[in-house]
Amino acid sequence: MPELDEPLLTQLTDDAIQLLIQLIQTPSFSRQEDQTAAHLVRFLTFHGARPERNAHNVWAVSRHYDPARPTVLLNSHHDTVQPGPSWTADPFGGLVDGDKLTGVGSNDAGAAAVSLLATFLYFEQHPPAFNLICAITAEEEISGPDGIRRLLPLLPEIALGIVGEPTQMNLAVAEKGLVVLDCTAHGRTGHAAREEGENALYQALDDIQRLRNVQFERVSELLGPVKLTVTQIQAGTQHNVVPDRCTFVADVRTNELYTNAEVVEIVRGLLGSNVVPRSTHLNSSRIAPSHPLVRRGVALGRRTFGSVTLSDQSMMPFTTVKIGPGDSARSHTPDEYILLSEISAGVRGYVELLHGFELPAAG
């Protein structure tokens, strides 16, 4: 196998760091990513790629694309959360102090985004045995409709997705999904002083107790059991009226052994209350330990684990793995930062993972 192109790696890493500083200095809250999208287009164009843009999603298909070969998608996001009041540094300063780069979105997931862009550009000059598409998308932080969900129908068939999120460059081979359930118990109003009405609040409490005791049979070795938590309840209009309606909300974190639709039906079968999911598209995901990319990563010393944090992986109907520079514990925290050395290790780690890699056509 040929050696890596070290001068190119160094140059692309330096360029990636400068791009990340520029992205940090440009606010890009979810649904407000117009200006960072423009930066991404200019960056790819400057480096000879052929970027496309739809809404605030930016992507490039390799100029070596061959429809007869399987396609790997490199994906991360360029939207950020709002910085909180506890920041002591300028969240949009992009300040470099030694090895540390501070700014909102630096760790989640700017470092992964620019590292994947550098990886894509590296393989533009050293074509792999498969197709590459790099997509830096919008609205990940809110699982919005105009992010990866909007982009995927515009892309060719994808055999494998590499999702860039802060994992310390370890391989998240499974990720928990999310389904939020709006539940409503119905009764009949009556005066609280008399034996009248049917108390919807009591019916809801009975259902909540059932949910508190429910145990889902399939327990994942990577992600553990499905976790269901009732987080909100509301009923009643005044103290002397038996409520005829009580609503409550359940937050359900699914493992890879259930689809969200399955979980919804199980819960419906347990409760007298009406159960309506807000959506079922944020499913859990997994990649087989025997997958060639996982085996490659393990051979390179990468640890595998199950991730409890949600990403755009949940909306990809093909095999995916989550890996990227940075630490998930820093995400959405005051004075969020990334180390420049982590970005360098991220670019190299992605390139090493794909350098000489062969992906079967079936994915």
Side-chain angles (χ1 to χ4, degrees):
M1 184 184 301
E3 297 295 321
L4 296 181
D5 185 337
E6 295 293 343
L8 181 59
L9 267 181
T10 299
Q11 183 60 58
L12 289 173
T13 299
D14 291 344
D15 291 350
I17 290 169
Q18 292 307 309
L19 173 62
L20 180 53
I21 293 171
Q22 191 176 41
L23 294 176
I24 291 169
Q25 293 172 340
T26 308
S28 57
F29 310 129
S30 301
R31 299 196 181 99
Q32 301 175 42
E33 310 97 335
D34 178 67
Q35 292 304 308
T36 48
H39 288 323
L40 296 169
V41 169
R42 284 192 290 269
F43 179 83
L44 284 163
T45 301
F46 176 80
H47 285 87
R50 298 173 296 187
E52 299 181 67
R53 177 173 173 176
N54 181 276
H56 300 327
N57 304 302
V58 176
W59 76 100
V61 178
S62 172
R63 64 177 181 268
H64 308 290
Y65 181 84
D66 178 352
R69 298 187 303 182
T71 298
V72 175
L73 173 66
L74 309 178
N75 169 250
S76 190
H77 64 95
H78 63 109
D79 64 318
T80 73
V81 297
Q82 296 266 0
S86 300
W87 277 73
T88 62
D90 180 358
F92 308 109
L95 175 66
V96 177
D97 183 7
D99 192 38
K100 180 187 283 189
L101 169 57
T102 301
V104 66
S106 56
N107 177 79
D108 182 16
V114 299
S115 296
L116 286 172
L117 285 165
T119 301
F120 175 80
L121 294 171
Y122 179 93
F123 287 112
E124 283 293 86
Q125 297 195 37
H126 299 277
F130 47 85
N131 298 315
L132 271 181
I133 298 175
C134 188
I136 310 301
T137 46
E139 297 192 8
E140 187 274 347
E141 295 290 1
I142 58 171
S143 302
D146 288 327
I148 191 68
R149 272 194 287 165
R150 177 170 177 153
L151 177 62
L152 286 179
L154 307 179
L155 301 182
E157 182 179 357
I158 306 297
L160 173 67
I162 296 176
V163 178
E165 292 282 348
T167 70
Q168 299 177 308
M169 290 305 290
N170 290 311
L171 294 160
V173 295
E175 176 186 89
K176 277 203 168 182
L178 168 65
V179 60
V180 179
L181 304 176
D182 289 309
C183 307
T184 305
H186 294 281
R188 182 169 49 85
T189 57
H191 198 293
R194 296 189 290 268
E195 294 297 325
E196 294 179 347
E198 295 178 17
N199 196 321
L201 178 53
Y202 291 164
Q203 294 179 30
L205 290 177
D206 289 342
D207 279 345
I208 289 170
Q209 186 61 37
R210 293 185 186 98
L211 293 181
R212 189 174 183 180
N213 295 330
V214 66
Q215 292 184 335
F216 292 85
E217 293 180 359
R218 303 171 215 159
V219 178
S220 165
E221 293 182 6
L222 290 164
L223 298 174
V226 172
K227 187 177 188 300
L228 187 154
T229 308
V230 175
T231 54
Q232 294 174 280
I233 186 169
Q234 185 172 8
T237 57
Q238 58 193 68
H239 76 90
N240 59 350
V241 177
V242 172
D244 64 348
R245 186 174 183 271
C246 179
T247 62
F248 58 98
V249 176
D251 175 293
V252 190
R253 305 290 167 152
T254 52
N255 64 29
E256 79 279 16
L257 304 180
Y258 290 90
T259 66
N260 286 353
E262 282 183 283
V263 168
V264 171
E265 291 310 308
I266 290 171
V267 172
R268 280 177 172 156
L270 293 171
L271 306 187
S273 298
N274 185 45
V275 177
V276 178
R278 293 184 184 175
S279 75
T280 56
H281 65 262
L282 301 177
N283 281 290
S284 181
S285 58
R286 71 182 298 273
I287 185 171
S290 59
H291 191 281
L293 191 77
V294 176
R295 295 203 308 266
R296 178 66 175 269
V298 170
L300 289 168
R302 305 297 176 191
R303 180 174 61 86
T304 61
F305 71 103
S307 173
V308 297
T309 57
L310 195 70
S311 75
D312 276 345
Q313 233 183 329
S314 63
M315 291 179 275
M316 297 181 183
F318 43 81
T319 302
T320 56
V321 66
K322 184 165 69 176
I323 177 174
D327 186 340
S328 181
R330 297 180 208 146
S331 300
H332 305 178
T333 62
D335 299 341
E336 178 186 351
Y337 70 91
I338 191 72
L339 301 180
L340 303 186
S341 55
E342 290 177 314
I343 298 174
S344 178
V347 176
R348 178 176 292 274
Y350 283 137
V351 170
E352 287 178 342
L353 193 62
L354 296 174
H355 178 63
F357 178 67
E358 294 187 9
L359 181 67

